[in-house]
Amino acid sequence: MASKRTHRSRYGRYVGGPDPLAPPVDLAEALDAIGEDVMSGYSPEHAMREFLRRGTRDQQGLDELARQVAQKRREMLAKHNLDGTFQEVKELLDKAVLTERKRLARDLDDDARFAEMRIENLPPSTAAAVNELSDYPWRDAEAREDYERIKDLLGREMLDQRFAGMKQALEGATDEDRAQISEMLKDLNDLLTKHRNGEDTDAAFEQFMDKHGDLFPEQPETIEELLDSLAQRAAAAQRMRNSMTQEQRDELDALATQAFGSPELMDQLGALDDNLRALRPGEDWSGGEEFGGEQGMGLGDGTGMLQDLADLDALSEQLSQQYAGARMDDLDLDALRRQLGDEAAVDAQRLAELERQLRNRDYLQSDAQGDLRLSPRAMRELGKSLLRDVSQTLSGRQGQRDARKAGTAGEPSGASRPWEFGDTESWDVTRTLTNATLRRAGENKDHPGPVISFEDVEVQETEARTQAAVALLVDTSFSMAMDGRWLPMKRTALALHQLISTRFRGDHLELVAFGRHAQTMEIAELTGLAPEWDKGTNLHHALILANQHFRRYPNAQPVLLVVTDGEPTAHLESDGEVFFDYPPHPLTVAYAVRELDQSTRLGAQTTIFRLGEDPGLARFLDQLAKRAGGRVLAPELDGLGAAVVDSYLSGRTSGGSNWFGASG
């Protein structure tokens, strides 16, 4: 066996972070899923965790990885038992005794008869029989060799429990090899004792590794790394012992005295265990498992399996992400690769990269209380996605192609937007050059990008339309959440907000949520609004707020859009208090109708979107729409967004409904 530590370069698996050749992670899918959960009432943190648990279209999530970890753990315990070394020793002993008996049967001297009696009266315990024969004068050379193999096996197994791979490395070892192991154990205990006493052991560690480094294939760089490796293995060996029956432990203790035919090995290993326990008390020295299988494991293999089980337990906790401050970066990818293979490690790595990008690219932000929320950037990206869905629905409904225009050709609107494939509008030179300058300012000065890139280009929006004042009134009474209409309502509001804020920037949108009372909301507030048990549908109050919005923009075309699933059951009294009654009180209906008349006098183009199949509600809303000169639509939930957007476009300009370019 070599005695010097060697340093060699070698190629291995790429472990420097995300695979540089892997395709980029799909943030759009993540944002869509997280956004839907947030709009359903979950917190962004919970929504992100749920997405990571489910995984993506193309890769496993944390739940599936955790299931595989749990399954492997069950299979390991159900398949194996701890009798492997005992069975191997018994087989060698039976073979040696049988061979010796055959030899004694051929010998006719009195000593042979005495030896036969000794063989016949061996104790039933394998360990006791091995010890009984420790000084037996074997007559058959083959039998003696089998008995010596028992001692060699025990020595190698005892070492393999503390140093992985020793059983194979010492197979057929010479006395010189065993002497080197004994010397290594002595030097190791001296080193650990000094470290345990607080002495400076850096130089001693280097000397130890120079002398015995070839016995440690993991090549630790510091004494702490050496300690970690040894303590984890030794603790697993102790857990294996704890997993044995008392009878097995007694047998093992009796057999251990025959390891390599010398009790010195066990003394050295005992001293090593004492040092490791003192230096690494935090390891699990007291745990155990219940094995119930038929495949026996040796001491070394069993210790390795206990280490694997510890790996699986740690992975199970990491994959749960249920502890404080949990992050995907906590996952031990090397352990996951060892236990479940490369595919599982790649999936986990990509999930971790998704989480990093969601946080680092400002899609998720912490508020003053430290809670996560969707950032304005995330809201914009989510709005783009929803608007794309709406545009595809409208395109399919009307048989039109995607015409990426804010309106028909005409005078510039003063607004600009990023260039997209198919755009024919003139460049906004000022915005384009500004974007290019800002981009290049943040780049590496030694390797600047192009002077102007496609991502810098913005085009002028042109329009032949009047300005619009849009009021979207959304019912937030509890029935909307109870009947599954909460999420479509929010998706609709976000899609309309995205359209107006990116393509019709001259328009003015007011979002009004009405339950027992009404209030104006920013899109982020509405998107994160949680369902509440709020009896009352105060259309009267919502219309008051809508009319106030219309009056603020007297030169704009008023567009009134109402989404509701119930008749008005609440109104505002003159003192500002809310009056509620069910069935609807005549006064509540009268107040709502009066305020709708105000909207009509202001010139509002009114569309009411009826959700649900209530005939009474249908009759009531039809009467309201007829009075206002508007219309009632009853879209399916998955078509609500498209219906609202189409009504907005139709209400503000006769040609508006031909617009389908929703990705801006």
Side-chain angles (χ1 to χ4, degrees):
M1 299 177 68
S3 60
K4 288 293 182 182
R5 187 183 184 189
T6 57
H7 301 272
R8 290 175 292 181
S9 298
R10 62 180 181 178
Y11 293 99
R13 187 189 310 278
Y14 177 78
V15 294
D19 184 351
L21 301 180
V25 295
D26 188 354
L27 283 174
E29 181 186 357
L31 281 173
D32 285 349
I34 292 170
E36 291 231 356
D37 281 352
V38 169
M39 289 189 286
S40 296
Y42 294 104
S43 70
E45 180 78 40
H46 178 86
M48 182 176 65
R49 293 293 164 211
E50 285 298 303
F51 176 75
L52 296 175
R53 286 181 56 236
R54 293 191 301 265
T56 71
R57 288 186 297 265
D58 303 322
Q59 63 197 56
Q60 305 170 95
L62 297 179
D63 280 355
E64 174 58 22
L65 293 174
R67 185 196 66 77
Q68 293 178 27
V69 165
Q71 180 179 353
K72 182 173 182 181
R73 194 184 199 286
R74 288 193 300 270
E75 290 174 351
M76 290 168 65
L77 293 174
K79 181 178 180 181
H80 298 93
N81 64 55
L82 303 180
D83 287 337
T85 296
F86 301 117
Q87 290 298 324
E88 199 170 351
V89 169
K90 186 176 187 305
E91 289 172 5
L92 287 172
L93 178 64
D94 289 346
K95 183 180 177 185
V97 168
L98 180 59
T99 303
E100 181 72 4
R101 280 176 173 168
K102 291 179 181 179
R103 174 60 185 271
L104 293 174
R106 295 194 300 269
D107 293 343
L108 301 177
D109 57 281
D110 292 340
D111 288 341
R113 304 287 77 75
F114 180 77
E116 280 182 331
M117 292 177 58
R118 185 173 179 182
I119 292 288
E120 291 295 335
N121 289 289
L122 285 174
S125 164
T126 299
V130 170
N131 286 328
E132 175 68 26
L133 295 172
S134 60
D135 60 352
Y136 176 79
W138 298 89
R139 295 197 175 199
D140 187 271
E142 183 179 348
R144 183 186 303 109
E145 182 179 344
D146 285 335
Y147 181 77
E148 292 300 324
R149 285 172 61 193
I150 292 175
K151 298 180 180 180
D152 182 70
L153 170 67
L154 290 170
R156 289 186 291 121
E157 288 278 21
M158 294 295 177
L159 287 169
D160 202 40
Q161 280 198 294
R162 276 75 173 185
F163 308 93
M166 278 291 186
K167 181 179 180 181
Q168 291 75 26
L170 289 176
E171 188 170 8
T174 64
D175 290 341
E176 182 181 353
D177 293 330
R178 286 191 284 269
Q180 182 186 352
I181 294 295
S182 180
E183 184 179 6
M184 181 274 290
L185 286 172
K186 181 179 180 302
D187 292 345
L188 178 59
N189 277 317
D190 289 343
L191 173 66
L192 298 186
T193 299
K194 290 179 181 178
H195 193 69
R196 183 176 173 181
N197 292 334
E199 300 179 32
D200 185 354
T201 53
D202 290 345
F205 170 75
E206 288 297 328
Q207 293 173 1
F208 175 83
M209 292 302 296
D210 285 340
K211 184 176 181 181
H212 302 294
D214 285 343
L215 296 174
F216 298 87
E218 63 273 15
Q219 291 293 295
E221 295 294 330
T222 65
I223 191 171
E224 297 300 332
E225 290 184 11
L226 176 65
L227 274 169
D228 288 340
S229 174
L230 292 175
Q232 289 167 10
R233 185 80 178 177
Q238 181 60 50
R239 292 197 300 276
M240 180 181 180
R241 178 183 173 84
N242 298 341
S243 304
M244 294 178 174
T245 65
Q246 185 60 51
E247 182 181 0
Q248 287 174 320
R249 287 195 288 269
D250 293 342
E251 286 274 298
L252 181 60
D253 291 342
L255 287 171
T257 61
Q258 297 300 319
F260 287 150
S262 170
E264 293 179 3
L265 174 65
M266 294 310 299
D267 292 341
Q268 291 170 331
L269 292 178
L272 175 62
D273 288 347
D274 289 342
N275 279 320
L276 293 174
R277 281 176 178 270
L279 290 166
R280 289 293 186 270
E283 292 290 339
D284 182 6
W285 299 93
S286 59
E289 301 290 347
E290 291 187 14
F291 291 87
E294 297 181 356
Q295 183 174 324
M297 295 181 296
L299 299 179
D301 290 340
T303 298
M305 182 163 289
L306 266 295
Q307 283 189 293
D308 286 341
L309 290 170
D311 267 359
L312 293 171
D313 288 341
L315 286 171
S316 181
E317 181 178 9
Q318 293 162 15
L319 290 167
S320 75
Q321 294 282 287
Q322 295 299 311
Y323 49 93
R327 292 289 186 273
M328 285 296 300
D329 286 337
D330 300 341
L331 267 178
D332 187 339
L333 295 179
D334 288 335
L336 192 63
R337 183 177 289 108
R338 284 196 306 270
Q339 300 302 333
L340 298 186
D342 288 340
E343 182 179 349
V346 169
D347 284 340
Q349 188 177 54
R350 288 177 63 76
L351 290 174
E353 180 63 17
L354 264 174
E355 184 188 47
R356 277 193 297 272
Q357 291 203 29
L358 286 169
R359 294 180 185 276
N360 297 343
R361 293 176 64 175
D362 294 330
Y363 288 114
L364 298 173
Q365 295 177 341
S366 297
D367 58 20
Q369 288 72 40
D371 297 324
L372 282 185
R373 60 180 176 84
L374 291 178
S375 69
R377 181 180 183 183
M379 296 294 295
R380 288 193 299 272
E381 293 297 328
L382 187 57
K384 286 182 183 180
S385 175
L386 295 174
L387 200 50
R388 277 194 296 270
D389 293 343
V390 167
S391 70
Q392 290 169 3
T393 300
L394 290 176
S395 296
R397 178 187 302 168
Q398 301 184 19
Q400 301 281 349
R401 67 180 179 86
D402 184 0
R404 298 188 181 278
K405 298 185 181 223
T408 58
E411 295 298 321
S413 68
S416 66
R417 57 182 170 81
W419 177 88
E420 297 179 11
F421 180 78
D423 281 332
T424 59
E425 290 85 354
S426 300
W427 283 19
D428 185 323
V429 177
T430 302
R431 290 297 308 162
T432 298
L433 293 178
T434 300
N435 292 341
T437 301
L438 292 174
R439 173 181 55 78
R440 286 170 61 84
E443 292 177 342
N444 188 326
K445 302 301 182 184
D446 297 328
H447 303 284
V451 175
I452 294 180
S453 170
F454 283 122
E455 66 188 38
D456 302 326
V457 178
E458 293 201 19
V459 296
Q460 295 178 348
E461 288 188 340
T462 59
E463 56 187 14
R465 56 180 173 83
T466 58
Q467 195 179 56
V470 186
L472 175 62
L473 282 51
V474 291
D475 189 342
T476 55
S477 60
F478 188 74
S479 62
M480 289 284 288
M482 183 174 61
D483 294 331
R485 298 160 187 155
W486 197 255
L487 180 58
M489 174 270 290
K490 290 185 176 183
R491 290 170 61 90
T492 297
L494 186 52
L496 182 62
H497 178 273
Q498 177 68 17
L499 174 61
I500 292 176
S501 62
T502 59
R503 290 301 182 85
F504 296 93
R505 295 173 185 168
D507 287 357
H508 308 282
L509 173 65
E510 185 87 311
L511 298 173
V512 180
F514 63 98
R516 190 177 187 88
H517 60 86
Q519 58 181 320
T520 60
M521 289 188 175
E522 296 296 327
I523 186 61
E525 184 181 3
L526 177 60
T527 302
L529 185 66
E532 295 181 359
W533 181 260
D534 195 7
K535 290 183 178 180
T537 304
N538 199 333
L539 180 61
H540 169 238
H541 191 186
L543 288 168
I544 290 175
L545 297 177
N547 290 334
Q548 290 173 356
H549 176 63
F550 296 149
R551 292 188 184 99
R552 281 195 292 270
Y553 304 98
N555 297 322
Q557 168 63 53
V559 177
L560 177 63
L561 307 170
V562 182
V563 178
T564 186
D565 70 346
E567 298 176 70
T569 55
H571 67 265
L572 280 185
E573 296 282 329
S574 58
D575 59 1
E577 293 296 317
V578 172
F579 174 87
F580 167 79
D581 194 20
Y582 183 84
H585 193 281
L587 190 59
T588 298
V589 174
Y591 277 12
V593 170
R594 184 182 68 185
E595 205 60 40
L596 181 63
D597 289 344
Q598 288 287 340
S599 300
T600 304
R601 283 191 286 272
L602 290 170
Q605 304 237 359
T606 301
T607 307
I608 301 173
F609 302 89
R610 173 174 56 82
L611 304 181
E613 303 297 331
D614 182 1
L617 175 64
R619 288 191 297 271
F620 173 76
L621 295 181
D622 285 342
Q623 292 172 359
L624 279 186
K626 183 177 180 180
R627 184 182 183 96
R631 58 179 178 162
V632 175
L633 298 178
E636 298 293 333
L637 286 178
D638 58 0
L640 177 61
V644 170
V645 166
D646 191 40
S647 292
Y648 155 68
L649 294 168
S650 299
R652 67 180 312 285
T653 172
S654 60
S657 60
N658 289 328
W659 179 91
F660 305 110
S663 62

